[in-house]
Amino acid sequence: MLTRRQIRVKVMQCIYALTLSHDESLEKQKKFLRVSIDNTYILYLLVLSLLIELHKMEENFIRLSSKKYLNENDEKYPDKRKFLNNAVLSQIVNNSMLQNELVKRKLNNWDLHQDYVKIVFNEIKNSELFNLYMLKNESSYEEDKNFIANLFKEVIAPNERIYEYFEDDKLTWVDDIPLVNTFVLKQLRKVNKEFSHSYFLPKLLKDADDMIFADQLLTKTLLNDKKFEGEIQLKTPNWDKDRIADIDAILLKMAICELTGFASIPERVTINEYLEIAKEYSTPKSSIFINGILDKLVKEYRISGKLKKTGRGLL
């Protein structure tokens, strides 16, 4: 789920938090990094569990409807249980592995915040997408899949109240929300009838090397902070330290750390990754500034033999 770039962003956030708090405890920052990475998976599970809660709410709505509290808008639908019986939604609701994971992690957020579920539920019921789907008497598995995927993309994921809830719950989720929503949408579009229950429980990291990379990048950058800062100052003699944006300084230090401390990562990969992160998280001109500094450093490292790269690299 998490790519190397997203791992770099997690490390950047961790170092930035340290900069603001002036807490120099390395172990505390390493713990913060691990928790931040794991929280991405928790967010993913909460997004999926929202679909389960919406199914429960529809089930309750149907039950009340049978007691003559039927919404007039639903009387026109040939099969009032069509949404409830949607094949893909049922796959998620009846996924025992997913349910066990939610119980194990005690993720009962929506039980405590049913008002948010109701907001999304009402938006779904009032959407044209829902109306058109419900007006068809029957649908194939592919049609059910396309409906749930489009419903997630157009109604659930863009919901501002849900975004606000996640943002208030955990600060690091602000950057994780687009990532998780995109991943969930891909999962919904690729699911098939023969999927295994583990399909909706993907690995957070590709392999153990990713966590090692994250831990080492954080540790090496922090332990060599003064050294890397000195190298940056040598390449920016006309710049006062305070004039360099905090994020730019952090990204430069992380990039220097990768260039000199991670032999298997090609220099071009490192430079491109940090330029892209700078475009998203720093000032409009940051990527140009960072590229100029790194270009000078790479040329210097090549001459001095400090730049030693091996293998095809880890992307």
Side-chain angles (χ1 to χ4, degrees):
M1 182 186 295
L2 285 177
T3 65
R4 283 292 176 99
R5 180 177 300 172
Q6 288 146 359
I7 290 172
R8 289 177 175 96
V9 169
K10 292 286 185 185
V11 173
M12 177 199 74
Q13 291 171 336
C14 191
I15 297 175
Y16 184 68
L18 181 150
T19 303
L20 294 179
S21 66
H22 303 289
D23 188 341
E24 298 182 358
S25 170
L26 179 58
E27 287 306 311
K28 185 179 290 187
Q29 295 309 316
K30 289 168 71 174
K31 181 180 179 180
F32 178 86
L33 175 62
R34 287 191 290 270
V35 169
S36 177
I37 289 174
D38 188 58
N39 279 341
T40 304
Y41 201 69
I42 290 176
L43 177 60
Y44 166 76
L45 292 172
L46 285 177
V47 171
L48 277 186
S49 68
L50 177 57
L51 293 173
I52 296 173
E53 291 302 316
L54 290 168
H55 184 274
K56 288 180 183 177
M57 194 161 283
E58 173 70 354
E59 196 167 33
N60 187 54
F61 179 86
I62 296 294
R63 181 177 60 81
L64 292 175
S65 296
S66 67
K67 297 181 179 181
K68 308 303 181 183
Y69 295 105
L70 187 63
N71 186 310
E72 290 183 3
N73 288 333
D74 283 5
E75 292 181 346
K76 61 185 178 182
Y77 299 142
D79 179 5
K80 298 175 183 63
R81 298 181 63 86
K82 187 177 180 182
F83 177 67
L84 200 62
N85 295 329
N86 179 278
V88 173
L89 189 57
S90 296
Q91 284 179 308
I92 296 172
V93 171
N94 298 318
N95 189 317
S96 58
M97 290 182 67
L98 175 59
Q99 292 284 1
N100 290 338
E101 190 68 19
L102 293 171
V103 171
K104 184 177 73 174
R105 292 176 178 262
K106 299 179 180 179
L107 296 179
N108 61 343
N109 300 49
W110 303 123
D111 288 341
L112 304 174
H113 299 283
Q114 279 289 299
D115 50 328
Y116 287 98
V117 181
K118 191 170 183 179
I119 289 170
V120 179
F121 180 77
N122 288 335
E123 282 197 21
I124 289 173
K125 300 286 280 190
N126 293 323
S127 69
E128 183 180 1
L129 190 65
F130 180 84
N131 184 56
L132 292 175
Y133 174 74
M134 293 295 291
L135 284 173
K136 290 187 65 176
N137 191 31
E138 296 179 356
S139 57
S140 64
Y141 181 86
E142 284 301 312
E143 288 173 321
D144 276 3
K145 179 170 70 172
N146 289 335
F147 167 70
I148 290 297
N150 290 331
L151 191 69
F152 181 80
K153 179 183 177 182
E154 297 178 21
V155 181
I156 301 173
N159 186 277
E160 291 185 5
R161 293 298 303 280
I162 295 297
Y163 182 92
E164 289 170 4
Y165 168 72
F166 286 141
E167 184 180 26
D168 291 341
D169 197 319
K170 288 182 176 60
L171 185 60
T172 56
W173 278 351
V174 174
D175 295 306
D176 290 339
I177 293 170
L179 160 70
V180 168
N181 282 341
T182 300
F183 186 79
V184 170
L185 184 58
K186 287 181 180 178
Q187 293 284 87
L188 292 174
R189 284 175 170 167
K190 291 181 179 179
V191 69
N192 57 59
K193 292 181 181 179
E194 289 75 34
F195 87 123
S196 66
H197 279 215
S198 62
Y199 175 80
F200 283 110
L201 290 174
K203 292 194 297 183
L204 175 60
L205 301 173
K206 185 174 67 175
D207 51 41
D209 287 343
D210 278 350
M211 193 64 235
I212 294 172
F213 167 73
D215 190 81
Q216 289 185 349
L217 181 59
L218 174 68
T219 302
K220 291 180 179 181
T221 302
L222 291 178
L223 291 180
N224 292 283
D225 180 76
K226 295 300 180 184
K227 176 185 173 183
F228 296 154
E229 189 172 293
E231 294 197 37
I232 295 170
Q233 289 178 347
L234 287 174
K235 295 295 173 289
T236 55
N238 298 322
W239 283 69
D240 186 276
K241 177 184 173 183
D242 294 334
R243 286 183 61 202
I244 301 177
D246 289 338
I247 294 295
D248 291 358
I250 291 169
L251 293 177
L252 278 168
K253 291 172 185 177
M254 290 172 63
I256 294 171
C257 182
E258 274 194 38
L259 288 169
T260 59
F262 291 79
S264 61
I265 302 179
E267 63 192 65
R268 183 41 54 187
V269 170
T270 293
I271 293 173
N272 287 342
E273 288 290 272
Y274 287 102
L275 292 183
E276 289 303 314
I277 295 173
K279 289 176 184 176
E280 185 172 355
Y281 290 92
S282 198
T283 67
K285 295 183 179 180
S286 290
S287 60
I288 298 173
F289 172 72
I290 290 173
N291 188 49
I293 302 302
L294 293 180
D295 186 58
K296 293 177 184 177
L297 286 171
V298 166
K299 290 176 181 177
E300 183 180 291
Y301 292 159
R302 283 175 181 162
I303 294 172
S304 66
K306 197 173 181 179
L307 195 68
K308 298 178 180 178
K309 297 294 183 179
T310 60
R312 297 177 61 188
L314 302 173
L315 300 182

